[in-house]
Amino acid sequence: MRKKIIVALLALLFVYNCGYAHINEYIVPDEVLLELYDGARVADVVDAMVTAGYMGIGVMDPKIAPLWTDVSDMSHRFSGIAVTVRYGPTNRPMHPGVDLTDPASYDDYRLWRGLWYHKLSGEPFVDYIKPGTVIVMDNKDDNDAGSTGSNNIMDWQRRGAVGLVTAGGVRDIDEIILQGNPVYTNYYERGRGERIGRNEVIDVQRPVVVGGALVYPGDVVVADSDGVVVVPRRVAVRVGQIAYQELVDDMISRKNHYEALGRPLDETVIVPEDPETFFKRLGLHLYDASRIDISSENPWYWQYKGETILLLGGSWQDNLFNHPGGLEEHLDVLASVGGNYLRNTMSHRNVGNVFAYERDESGLFDLYRFNRDYWDRFDNFLRLAFERDMIVQIEIWDPWDFYHDHQSFGGWSHHPFNPANNINYTSEESGLPNVIEYGAVSVPTEHPFFRSVPALENNQIVLRYQQAYVDKLLSISLRYPNVLYCMHNETGEKVEFGDYWADYVRQKAYDEGLIIHTSDMRRGEDVRSEDHTHIFDNPDRYTFVDISQNNASLGYGQRHYDNIMFVRERLSYHPRPINNNKNYGPVRGGEETISRMGRMIFAGSAGARFHRPHPHENPSYMYEESEWGLGLSPRAQKIIKSLRMATDELNIALTEPGNHLLSERDDNEAYLLSEPGHQYALYFPDGGSVVLDMSGASGQWNSRWINLDQAEWEHAGEVDGGQHVRLTAPGEGHWIVVLLPAQ
C-alpha cells in the first residue's frame, strides 16, 4: 500500500508537458548541407559569415573548446545539423526523504530515481537524432549535473550524432576521450553528479544559447580546434559556398608552399573537387549576388546586384503584364522619379486583358492549352522591368478573380477554372461550383478552389491543373533575377493553401539551383491576428512579409506606425524585409495616403508602393488618381521622387527607426530614421517641431529640408551636435530633414 501511495504522489509530482517543437521543413535538404560543409574549417566559415554580412554572429565563446584533439586524422572536427535541448536547475525536492539504509525505502528511492529520469530529466531529443546531427545542449545552470556521460553519448553516436556542443555538464571525461567522442564544452563547467534531483528538461528543438551564440534547430554547426561557429539555416547555402571557395583557395596556396619547401603533401592541401563542379553536383548554382536577395548588410532590407536597395513604387494597374499598351512608357516614368517596385497580380479582370488558356470552337477554355499571348505578355513585362532594375512582386492567386464578379472580366463567372467555362471537368468531377455569389472576406470561405491542397481536401483533379499553371508561370519568372513571390493578393482563406504553394514554388526554384523569396498577403487589417502571425512565425517558408492591409482602414496616424513596429518586434528573432505593396488612397483617409508612405519608410520597411487608381480600366487614366490609390499620378511621382532623394542621402542599410531619440513630440508628429552619431532623417507628416537627442553626435552637422510635394531641396542650414537639438519644419505639409556630418 505504501508503495502505491508513493507512486501516486510521484505521478502528481512529475506532471510534465512533452509538447516538443518539430523543425520546419526546409527547401535545401540536410543531406546537401552536410556534404557542402563536410571538411569545413571554422576559420573559413567565420570569414564567409562576415562576407555574407554576419560580422561577429554565430561564433561561440573560445571557452567552448574540444575536450581532445587528434590532428593526425582530424577526428575531433565535425560539422552537422543542430538538434537543440535545454536543461535547467530543478525546483523540486531532492528525494522523498526516506531512510535509504532501509531496503524497502531504497526500493522507493530507485522508483523515484527512475521516474525522474523518465519524466523530468530524460533525453527526448534523441527522437530527432539522425545521421549528421550535432547535439547542442544549453545547460550552463543545471546544478553541477553531468547531463552527458560516456554511456549516453555512445547511444547518441549510434543513432547518428557526429558531435556534441554543450555549455558544460560533461562527466566521465577520461572515457569520452578514450572512446573518441567529439565534444566541445567549457571544461571548467563540467558536471560531476547525475541529473536526478539536479535538473530538468526545459525545451527540446527550441532556440538555445551556448557560448553566447544563438542556435536554432536546423542551423549548421561547425567545430574544430579554432572553436565552434553556428550558421543560420537561412544563409547556410550562401555561407557554405563562400567557405568552400575560401578553403580551396587556401589549399592551393598552401600546396604551393609545401612544394617549394619540399614537404610531402597531406590531405589538408589536396582539393577534393573544384567549386563549380562541387556545387553543380549538389544541385546548387554558384551564389548569384545579382539576384534579389535579403541584404547582407541589413536583413530588414533587400539587395539587388550586390547593393542594398529601398523599394518605392506606384502604377496604374495591379496586373501590369496584361496591359501592354503604353507599358514601356509607364515604367520609364516610374524610373524617372526613382521608382523600382512593381506589383503584378496574374489577373485578367480588365478590358483588353487576355486569359491564360486557349478556347475551343464553342468558346470554352481548354486547361491543357496555354494561351501564348497571355504568357508572352508576362515575359515581356518581366523583361522590361529587368532592363530597368525594377523589382516585381508577383501575386500568384488573386481572390478577386475567384468570387463574385469584379470589374469587366474578374470573378468566378469568367474564370477558366470554373467547370462551366472549360472542357476538362464538370462540377461533379472537380467539386468546384459553377456559381459563386459571395465576395472575398477576411476569414476562410467554403470555396473548394482554395482547399485543393493535401493538408485540406486533397482535390487532385483541381490540384494538378493548379500545379500546371504555376509550373508555366515559373518556367518564365525563374529566368529573371528581379522577382519576389507572394502567394496571394489579400486572402482570407486557410493558411494551409498558401503554405503549400510557398513550399511548392521554393522547391521548384531549388530544383533549378535557385533560391527565391516568398510571402503571403493576408486580407485582414489587424497585423496581430492569428493568420498574420502565422506568416511572421514561419521564416523558413515566408522569407519576407507583406503587410499591405495595414495601409487600409485600421492603419491611421500613430497607430499605423505602431503596427509596423509591432511587426518588427515580432520578426526581431529572425529579421527579414517588410514590404507594403499596396498603400490605399484618400478613400482611406485624405492625406493619410502620403503620410503612410513616409511612415512606412521611417519605420524601416523594405518597400512601399501606391495602390492603383481603381476602378479605372482605360489607359487614358494611366496617370490619374482615385479615392483608392494615387497610382503613378503626378502627385505620386513627386512623393516617390522626394522619398528617393531623401533616402539616397543616407546609407540606409545602417539605419533603423529611432523615435526613442525624440522628445517634445506629439503622436504622429515626427518619425526618425537614424544611425546615431552618423546620420539622421526625420519625417514630419504635417509640419511640427520636435527635439532630437544628438548628445552622442558631436561636431557640426549640415541639415537640408525637402517638401515631399515639391521634390526639391531647400532650407539648408547647420546644426551643432553634442546636444539636444530642436528641429522645426519650415511649414505645413509633408517634410523630411536630413542631417549629415559637415565633414
Side-chain angles (χ1 to χ4, degrees), residues 41 44 241-255 268-276 278-279:
R41 302 185 307 181
D44 298 321
Q241 289 178 305
I242 298 170
Y244 186 78
Q245 183 66 66
E246 291 211 9
L247 173 63
V248 168
D249 291 345
D250 182 78
M251 284 179 162
I252 294 172
S253 179
R254 289 175 57 240
K255 182 181 179 182
T268 70
V269 296
I270 298 175
V271 176
E273 197 170 1
D274 74 272
E276 185 171 359
F278 180 45
F279 300 151

Side-chain angles (χ1 to χ4, degrees), residues 84-399:
T84 61
V85 59
R86 181 161 69 99
Y87 289 93
T90 187
N91 61 357
R92 304 171 192 267
M94 287 291 290
H95 56 74
V98 296
D99 181 5
L100 298 183
T101 62
D102 179 353
S105 296
Y106 186 70
D107 288 343
D108 294 339
Y109 168 77
R110 297 279 296 180
L111 177 63
W112 171 81
R113 182 177 185 273
L115 284 171
W116 193 290
Y117 271 123
H118 180 66
K119 294 289 186 180
L120 286 181
S121 192
E123 297 176 358
F125 61 89
V126 299
D127 294 336
Y128 299 95
I129 296 176
K130 57 185 179 181
T133 288
V134 174
I135 300 166
V136 182
M137 187 179 295
D138 177 0
N139 59 346
K140 61 182 180 298
D141 298 315
D142 63 354
N143 290 340
D144 197 20
S147 296
T148 302
S150 57
N151 191 335
N152 58 356
I153 198 171
M154 292 294 283
D155 175 59
W156 305 340
Q157 189 171 1
R158 289 179 62 186
R159 293 171 183 263
V162 297
L164 168 71
V165 177
T166 175
V170 179
R171 67 178 192 170
D172 307 336
I173 291 175
D174 291 335
E175 287 81 2
I176 288 175
I177 295 174
L178 177 66
Q179 293 166 183
N181 307 118
V183 174
Y184 286 67
T185 187
N186 183 345
Y187 177 78
Y188 296 99
E189 295 292 337
R190 57 195 182 278
R192 276 69 61 92
E194 58 184 345
R195 295 199 295 258
I196 60 166
R198 290 183 171 86
N199 71 11
E200 303 177 20
V201 176
I202 306 300
D203 284 320
V204 173
Q205 290 296 73
R206 302 278 187 182
V208 298
V209 176
V210 176
L214 179 63
V215 187
Y216 279 83
D219 285 351
V220 176
V221 181
V222 180
D224 61 23
S225 296
D226 289 341
V228 181
V229 62
V230 181
V231 183
R233 184 77 177 225
R234 64 183 178 273
V235 292
V237 171
R238 186 195 319 177
V239 169
Q241 289 178 305
I242 298 170
Y244 186 78
Q245 183 66 66
E246 291 211 9
L247 173 63
V248 168
D249 291 345
D250 182 78
M251 284 179 162
I252 294 172
S253 179
R254 289 175 57 240
K255 182 181 179 182
N256 291 335
H257 294 316
Y258 272 45
E259 292 172 341
L261 295 170
R263 181 186 179 95
L265 302 183
D266 58 51
E267 65 178 8
T268 70
V269 296
I270 298 175
V271 176
E273 197 170 1
D274 74 272
E276 185 171 359
T277 302
F278 180 45
F279 300 151
K280 188 173 183 179
R281 181 170 59 79
L282 293 181
L284 304 171
H285 289 185
L286 288 168
Y287 174 66
D288 185 357
S290 68
R291 296 188 70 87
I292 183 69
D293 200 356
I294 294 173
S295 170
S296 60
E297 297 178 285
N298 185 337
W300 295 109
Y301 292 104
W302 296 107
Q303 72 178 32
Y304 185 58
K305 296 186 176 180
E307 295 185 0
T308 299
I309 59 173
L310 174 66
L311 301 182
L312 297 172
S315 59
W316 85 287
Q317 289 293 350
D318 296 341
N319 55 339
L320 278 176
F321 84 103
N322 225 336
H323 293 268
L327 176 60
E328 190 164 358
E329 175 195 328
H330 199 60
L331 299 187
D332 285 340
V333 171
L334 179 60
S336 72
V337 296
N340 62 347
Y341 187 24
L342 297 169
R343 180 187 185 208
N344 192 71
T345 63
M346 300 303 297
S347 297
H348 46 248
R349 64 170 77 112
N350 307 122
V351 173
N353 289 178
V354 295
F355 290 86
Y357 301 94
E358 295 281 2
R359 300 177 190 262
D360 70 0
E361 297 79 4
S362 67
L364 295 177
F365 291 105
D366 183 351
L367 302 186
Y368 283 116
R369 296 166 55 217
F370 287 114
N371 181 357
R372 181 172 180 176
D373 190 11
Y374 177 95
W375 298 105
D376 283 350
R377 290 183 179 195
F378 182 53
D379 186 39
N380 177 64
F381 168 66
L382 295 183
R383 177 183 59 80
L384 292 174
F386 169 71
E387 291 172 351
R388 291 158 177 78
D389 287 341
M390 292 180 174
I391 306 304
V392 178
Q393 182 171 312
I394 294 174
E395 292 160 19
I396 298 175
W397 308 113
D398 188 345

Side-chain angles (χ1 to χ4, degrees), residues 395-560:
E395 292 160 19
I396 298 175
W397 308 113
D398 188 345
W400 291 103
D401 295 331
F402 294 92
Y403 298 95
H404 60 45
D405 285 356
H406 177 69
Q407 296 192 269
S408 296
F409 298 106
W412 188 243
S413 70
H414 301 283
H415 204 285
F417 277 90
N418 184 333
N421 297 336
N422 69 61
I423 64 173
N424 305 94
Y425 49 67
T426 65
S427 179
E428 291 75 15
E429 291 168 340
S430 65
L432 297 177
N434 292 327
V435 177
I436 293 287
E437 295 181 339
Y438 50 85
V441 290
S442 301
V443 295
T445 70
E446 297 301 317
H447 201 322
F449 181 89
F450 296 102
R451 295 171 180 258
S452 61
V453 300
L456 296 173
E457 296 179 359
N458 195 22
N459 185 337
Q460 288 295 314
I461 291 178
V462 175
L463 185 62
R464 70 171 181 259
Y465 289 108
Q466 292 172 332
Q467 290 171 336
Y469 176 84
V470 174
D471 290 346
K472 179 64 175 178
L473 181 154
L474 294 173
S475 71
I476 298 171
S477 65
L478 289 179
R479 300 201 303 264
Y480 292 93
N482 57 322
V483 178
L484 299 171
Y485 296 83
C486 188
M487 300 308 104
H488 291 91
N489 168 35
E490 54 179 59
T491 183
E493 298 294 347
K494 288 182 177 292
V495 295
E496 289 87 351
F497 189 77
D499 289 350
Y500 176 86
W501 291 111
D503 292 345
Y504 187 88
V505 299
R506 293 188 69 207
Q507 184 64 56
K508 288 291 183 178
Y510 172 72
D511 291 343
E512 297 294 325
L514 301 172
I515 295 176
I516 62 173
H517 292 284
T518 52
S519 188
D520 202 4
M521 186 198 302
R522 303 303 299 178
R523 182 177 176 83
E525 297 181 16
D526 182 5
V527 295
R528 294 163 176 80
S529 65
E530 185 176 349
D531 58 338
H532 277 285
T533 56
H534 174 81
I535 308 299
F536 304 156
D537 295 347
N538 281 276
D540 302 302
R541 172 177 286 133
Y542 298 116
T543 54
F544 72 100
V545 303
D546 189 298
I547 56 170
S548 289
Q549 294 306 99
N550 181 52
N551 307 312
S553 299
L554 293 182
Y556 274 77
Q558 184 69 42
R559 181 178 181 180
H560 174 253

